[in-house]
């Protein structure tokens, strides 16, 4: 073998260094190719208690793992020799024309994850043309979200309180602020046992102990933001210092029933979305009481352990309520491929909670936008690779379960 001295021109083409980006947040997020990468960044940058509040489930976390396993077990049945040069990801749900078949789910304690909080989520949603949901347990008020994200399609999520006049005040504030849909969460008559939160001493406001201070001390950006922004709390109502579970069990109503849903229908003129449906029978009941849209969900594995897995019960629910009923799916989604699978299995739309918060923890609004960019890219690629160009072409025939399922 004859050797030679390499030419400088050849080396110059091979050795190209990226220019230094002074925006270190942007540079950090650019390295994330998947939502799992964003999760890794979030875990490094956020105190353990806050990260595990997002990352964990209830009891022994069977539902959390099974939600994820259901998506992992899906196989696509691709079709080839199709023109997939242009893919249309647009969807219509609850009166919203969305650019993508995914919206941001309602999440509590969001400013604990990053000081930009729900405002960052709403602004990112607006930039991507998708709906944003604000939780009753949000850390930014209804009015502030409306003011800071005027162009976003906004939904308000309600936990119905025992104090009905206070609930009525909340939904009237949401209507006055231009929120187009009301999401009623019905799978939380009481809070599930979230053992990670108990071990971490999760309260609101956070209880600072020697352990939590030490844990936060080597995460300086989070610590600085926490100390130099307005105190963390539920922005839409007053609450005493207590654990998150105690907050739920003290304020919310375990006697919630179908008559209450009818009452909400009478008092809300916008779209009514019912979140937490896990059976075909309940789907039929809530549609009969005036719901416009269903969310098939087990609360991301954060309520009942060993709950039905939404992706698995979705086909039965769709077959029961028919093709015209609007169905959203959440719980377990971690990629654009998961969203494509959910639509093919019978959903019209999806919601993301953890994905949104991993992005938030990794980099505020920029992190949320990076998460949405990743999902959009993955959805487009998956649809091209299975031979479809629009959501209307996604159908159960494109899916099959792994042999070991």
């Amino acid at each position: 073998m004859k050797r030679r001295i390499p030419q400088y021109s050849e080396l110059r083409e091979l050795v190209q260094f990226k220019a230094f980006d002074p925006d270190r947040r942007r540079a950090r997020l650019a390295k994330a190719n998947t939502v799992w990468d964003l999760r890794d960044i979030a875990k490094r940058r956020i105190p353990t208690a806050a990260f595990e509040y997002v990352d964990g489930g209830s009891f022994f976390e069977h539902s959390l793992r099974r939600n994820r396993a259901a998506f992992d077990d899906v196989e696509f049945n691709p079709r080839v020799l199709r023109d997939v040069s242009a893919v249309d990801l647009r969807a219509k749900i609850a009166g919203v024309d969305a650019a993508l078949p995914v919206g941001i789910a309602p999440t509590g304690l969001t400013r604990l994850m990053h000081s930009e909080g729900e405002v960052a989520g709403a602004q990112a949603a607006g930039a991507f043309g998708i709906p944003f949901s604000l939780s009753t347990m949000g850390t930014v008020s209804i009015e502030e979200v409306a003011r800071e994200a005027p162009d976003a399609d906004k939904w308000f999520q309600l936990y119905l309180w025992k104090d009905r006049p206070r609930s009525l005040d909340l939904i009237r504030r949401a209507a006055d602020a231009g929120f187009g849909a009301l999401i009623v969460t019905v799978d939380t008559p009481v809070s599930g046992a979230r053992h990670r939160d108990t071990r971490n001493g999760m309260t609101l406001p956070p209880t600072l102990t020697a352990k939590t201070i030490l844990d936060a001390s080597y995460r300086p950006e989070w610590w600085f933001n926490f100390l130099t922004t307005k105190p963390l709390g539920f922005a839409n109502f007053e609450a005493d210092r207590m654990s998150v579970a105690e907050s739920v069990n003290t304020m919310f109503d375990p006697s919630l029933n179908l008559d209450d849903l009818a009452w909400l229908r009478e008092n809300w003129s916008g779209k009514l979305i019912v979140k937490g449906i896990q059976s075909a029978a309940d789907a039929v009941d809530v549609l009969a009481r005036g719901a416009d849209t269903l969310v098939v969900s087990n609360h991301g594995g954060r309520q009942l352990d060993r709950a039905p897995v939404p992706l698995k019960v979705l086909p039965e629910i769709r077959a029961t309520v028919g093709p015209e009923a609007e169905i959203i799916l959440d719980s377990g989604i971690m990629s654009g491929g998961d969203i494509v699978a959910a639509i093919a299995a019978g959903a019209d739309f999806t919601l993301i909670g953890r994905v949104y918060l991993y992005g938030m923890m990794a980099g505020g609004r920029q992190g949320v936008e990076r998460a949405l960019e990743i999902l959009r890219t993955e959805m487009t690629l998956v649809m091209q690779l299975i031979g479809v160009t629009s959501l209307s072409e996604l159908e159960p025939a494109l899916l099959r379960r792994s042999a070991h399922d």
Side-chain angles (χ1 to χ4, degrees), residues 103-119:
I104 292 179
T107 62
L109 310 187
T110 309
R111 285 186 56 245
L112 181 63
M113 316 314 155
H114 194 283
S115 57
E116 295 176 11
E118 289 89 348
V119 167

Side-chain angles (χ1 to χ4, degrees), residues 61-373:
E61 302 191 345
H62 294 295
S63 290
L64 179 67
R65 291 189 295 273
R66 290 174 180 176
N67 287 346
R68 189 59 240 151
F71 282 107
D72 288 339
D73 285 342
V74 167
E75 288 184 359
F76 288 108
N77 185 26
R79 295 166 182 171
V80 298
L81 299 175
R82 310 282 178 111
D83 180 356
V84 292
S85 53
V87 172
D88 183 0
L89 295 173
R90 291 175 297 175
K92 187 176 181 66
I93 192 74
V96 171
D97 291 310
L100 304 172
V102 59
I104 292 179
T107 62
L109 310 187
T110 309
R111 285 186 56 245
L112 181 63
M113 316 314 155
H114 194 283
S115 57
E116 295 176 11
E118 289 89 348
V119 167
Q123 290 175 340
F128 275 75
I130 65 172
F132 171 83
S133 309
L134 176 66
S135 172
T136 294
M137 299 178 72
T139 51
V140 176
S141 72
I142 293 168
E143 291 77 14
E144 184 176 354
V145 169
R147 182 173 65 252
E148 296 297 329
D151 298 327
D153 287 297
K154 295 172 286 290
W155 299 343
F156 181 68
Q157 178 268 336
L158 178 71
Y159 288 112
L160 190 62
W161 293 341
K162 298 173 184 177
D163 185 344
R164 294 294 190 265
R166 291 182 72 191
S167 296
L168 191 59
D169 177 63
L170 274 179
I171 63 177
R172 286 176 175 167
R173 285 171 58 194
D176 290 344
F179 284 66
L182 181 69
I183 303 174
V184 183
T185 298
V186 295
D187 60 359
T188 317
V190 295
S191 178
R194 298 176 188 172
H195 296 319
R196 292 202 212 186
D197 293 348
T198 301
R199 287 193 294 268
N200 290 323
M202 272 290 293
T203 62
L204 191 70
T207 300
L208 297 181
T209 65
K211 180 181 177 181
T212 56
I213 290 173
L214 177 63
D215 186 57
S217 65
Y218 55 91
R219 296 170 169 99
E221 182 181 0
W222 182 91
W223 187 244
F224 176 76
N225 288 336
F226 179 74
L227 291 177
T228 59
T229 54
K230 63 183 178 181
L232 183 69
F234 294 126
N236 291 304
F237 60 91
E238 298 293 329
D240 297 326
R241 177 184 292 274
M242 59 182 67
S243 74
V244 175
E246 288 172 334
S247 298
V248 173
N249 290 335
T250 299
M251 292 182 291
F252 307 141
D253 189 357
S255 70
L256 178 67
N257 58 60
L258 288 168
D259 290 337
D260 295 305
L261 187 61
W263 175 80
L264 284 170
R265 177 71 284 176
E266 292 174 0
N267 285 280
W268 176 260
S269 59
K271 295 292 185 179
L272 181 62
I273 303 171
V274 177
K275 183 176 183 291
I277 298 301
Q278 299 170 64
S279 72
D282 282 344
V284 171
D285 285 343
V286 300
L287 289 172
R289 295 302 180 105
D292 296 299
T293 305
L294 312 174
V295 183
V296 179
S297 167
N298 65 18
H299 218 102
R302 295 166 61 80
Q303 280 296 103
L304 173 66
D305 213 5
R306 299 184 178 88
V309 174
L311 187 65
K312 291 185 176 182
V313 300
L314 174 61
E316 178 187 354
I317 292 173
R318 170 58 75 192
T320 300
V321 300
E324 299 304 318
E326 289 190 338
I327 298 179
I328 300 172
L329 183 136
D330 75 14
S331 302
I333 291 170
M334 283 291 286
S335 73
D338 296 339
I339 294 170
V340 172
I343 304 296
D348 297 298
F349 201 74
T350 61
L351 292 176
I352 51 169
R354 287 188 179 89
V355 171
Y356 153 57
L357 292 177
Y358 291 144
M360 176 77 71
M361 291 187 286
R365 175 179 172 176
Q366 285 176 273
V368 178
E369 292 187 348
R370 181 61 185 143
L372 293 173
E373 286 174 358

